[in-house]
Amino acid sequence: MAVPRNRHSNARKNSKRAHHAKKEKNVSNCSNCGKPRLSHRLCPFCGHYGGRAVITEGQE
C-alpha cells in the first residue's frame, strides 16, 4: 500500500475539501396541491406522484 512521503499542511488539506460542503435539497412544488415536496418522491400532503393518486385518504 502506498504511503505518503511528506505531510500535507492543514491549509493544503482543507483547500482540497473546499467543495465537500452539503448541498441544498432539490425542492419542487406538487402539481396537484402546489405544496413543496422533494423531487422524485410522493407528495406527503396529498399522496400524488406523476400526475396520479398513489395513496388515497383511507389507504394510509
Side-chain angles (χ1 to χ4, degrees):
M1 193 163 123
V3 177
R5 190 172 289 244
N6 293 324
R7 177 182 170 150
H8 285 223
S9 67
N10 286 336
R12 191 167 168 186
K13 172 184 69 175
N14 293 334
S15 66
K16 281 184 174 184
R17 297 177 182 168
H19 65 280
H20 287 190
K22 291 186 176 182
K23 296 182 176 112
E24 292 183 11
K25 293 194 175 189
N26 192 11
V27 178
S28 61
N29 292 330
C30 177
S31 59
N32 186 51
C33 66
K35 293 187 179 177
R37 66 171 180 88
L38 293 176
S39 296
H40 299 99
R41 283 172 179 77
L42 180 73
C43 178
F45 300 102
C46 66
H48 277 71
Y49 179 76
R52 62 186 182 96
V54 178
I55 296 178
T56 56
E57 302 223 359
Q59 188 179 357
E60 295 179 42

